[in-house]
Amino acid sequence: MKPFEYTRAGSQADALAAGAAEGARFIAGGTNLLDLMKLEVMAPDRLVDITRLDMGRITPSDDGGLRIGALVTNSDLAADDRVRRDYPVLSRALLAGASGQLRNKATTGGNLLQRTRCYYFYDTDMPCNKREPGTGCSAIGGFNRIHAILGASEQCIATHPSDMAVAMQALEAVVEVDGPNGTREIPLMSFHRLAGDTPDVETELAPGELIVAVRLPAPVPSRQIYRKVRDRASYAFALVSIAAVVRMEGGTMRTVRLAFGGLAHKPWRNTDIEALLEGETPSADLFDRAADALLVDATGHGSNDFKIPLVRRTLKAVLSEATKGEA
């Protein structure tokens, strides 16, 4: 590991001042960043420890939703009574991720910023446009079982690894940030970026900006499902995951929110297929058409071709479960 400076911030203002320095990185749980530093995939000049900041609480928001501090751990968030009752898709997604030990350290803000698990990104002997722009993408033409089938580019086909972010996207969360130019809010749907020509730029955060909290809107009566397909029962990243929030009314799908993990460079949401489903009576034919719409631009890269039929089957199963007994 390369030498670096370490600063522990005593206030949010101190953190922002220290984080504005060239080569600085914020650190909280460190469950991803420290691994990347040990492998010298990332080599920040300065770590700004934010664990003493007052960002570890879950509080009601003015609109009837919840405001989740950036330092709330994944374990505490999954176990919160309000989350389990009103946002069960989020609790289930969190419990489907990592191990108990990691969830005890990992934080809400850090989870949103965790980086891809692409094998080539972690192997510093291999070309990788995400790690070192302009060197090439080893996954294209290589072993790419876990890689993207939607929204990829010729520069990068890596996927985003988070379970939490997929569920939060289905819940239409908003990210609160603070930085050198003040505070702002970013809808989670637009927080992460697709690879394009700059796969190393993964979010809309500007340099020196700090995630302060994530806000969930007021809950709506709905059936919520998080289904994760992976290579083993625990401690594995998703090959395909789906977060579904479905509200039925009189046998009709009145509200549908769907977000997908394991398919793209960011948690994937396609509002066109939600519109296709809303107002309709559930049926196998309708679910087929939704899968067709989702996958119309899907492209496999060899080892990951199986994801296309897998996500089709998983989507139909999730929609069937979400509407069961309501048709």
Side-chain angles (χ1 to χ4, degrees):
M1 186 183 293
K2 293 181 179 177
F4 58 89
E5 293 182 14
Y6 172 83
T7 301
R8 175 173 282 170
S11 68
Q12 193 165 310
D14 290 345
L16 293 176
E22 183 76 19
R25 285 274 180 175
F26 297 116
I27 185 168
T31 57
N32 188 204
L33 178 57
L34 291 179
D35 283 346
L36 292 167
M37 290 176 65
K38 291 173 185 174
L39 295 169
E40 299 192 349
V41 174
M42 294 179 69
D45 297 319
R46 172 187 287 191
L47 289 185
V48 182
D49 186 336
I50 60 171
T51 53
R52 288 188 176 175
L53 304 189
D54 182 20
M55 298 193 298
R57 294 180 294 161
I58 305 171
T59 54
S61 56
D62 294 340
D63 64 355
L66 282 183
R67 184 177 186 274
I68 304 161
L71 293 179
V72 173
T73 67
N74 287 182
S75 293
D76 287 345
L77 185 57
D80 184 89
D81 288 342
R82 295 160 293 186
V83 173
R84 295 176 63 193
R85 182 189 63 224
D86 297 330
Y87 309 97
V89 66
L90 176 57
S91 180
R92 291 165 188 159
L94 287 161
L95 294 174
S99 64
Q101 293 90 341
L102 286 169
R103 290 194 294 269
N104 287 341
K105 291 293 293 182
T107 62
T108 298
N111 194 308
L112 292 180
L113 298 178
Q114 65 175 309
R115 308 197 68 185
T116 182
R117 262 58 184 181
C118 173
Y119 333 111
Y120 304 103
F121 175 70
Y122 281 77
D123 185 347
T124 55
D125 289 330
M126 300 294 290
C128 172
N129 285 324
K130 180 180 287 294
R131 175 173 25 83
E132 195 173 346
T135 58
C137 176
S138 300
I140 298 175
F143 183 64
N144 46 48
R145 174 176 169 76
I146 65 172
H147 289 75
I149 59 171
L150 290 170
S153 75
E154 295 181 355
Q155 303 297 318
C156 179
I157 60 171
T159 52
H160 185 74
S162 174
D163 294 291
M164 184 197 79
V166 175
M168 284 185 168
Q169 189 155 148
L171 293 168
E172 302 191 306
V174 173
V175 184
E176 297 179 13
V177 303
D178 196 2
N181 296 316
T183 61
R184 64 183 180 122
E185 298 180 348
I186 308 172
L188 188 58
M189 190 170 176
S190 55
F191 181 79
H192 296 99
R193 298 171 54 137
L194 292 178
D197 293 329
T198 54
D200 55 313
V201 182
E202 297 172 333
T203 73
E204 292 297 323
L205 282 181
E209 281 192 319
L210 174 68
I211 296 175
V212 174
V214 177
R215 218 172 49 247
L216 301 179
V220 294
S222 57
R223 188 170 289 175
Q224 300 185 14
I225 296 169
Y226 188 74
R227 183 167 297 196
K228 180 176 181 178
V229 183
R230 46 188 165 176
D231 282 326
R232 56 177 183 265
S234 67
Y235 197 43
F237 294 95
L239 296 169
V240 171
S241 66
I242 300 178
V245 177
V246 178
R247 180 171 70 90
M248 298 293 294
E249 191 175 285
T252 298
M253 304 175 74
R254 188 57 57 192
T255 302
V256 180
R257 298 289 179 268
L258 297 168
F260 301 82
L263 303 186
H265 202 253
K266 56 184 284 185
W268 189 261
R269 186 173 166 202
N270 181 332
T271 55
D272 288 342
I273 67 168
E274 295 172 356
L276 184 154
L277 293 164
E278 286 179 340
E280 299 293 334
T281 302
S283 70
D285 176 65
L286 178 66
F287 298 164
D288 270 327
R289 285 190 281 126
D292 289 342
L294 172 69
L295 296 167
V296 65
D297 294 321
T299 302
H301 300 276
S303 313
N304 70 345
D305 290 349
F306 73 96
K307 282 192 175 184
I308 296 175
L310 178 61
V311 70
R312 173 181 290 277
R313 291 196 300 271
T314 307
L315 175 60
K316 292 171 66 176
V318 166
L319 290 173
S320 296
E321 182 181 346
T323 59
K324 187 177 181 180
E326 299 283 354

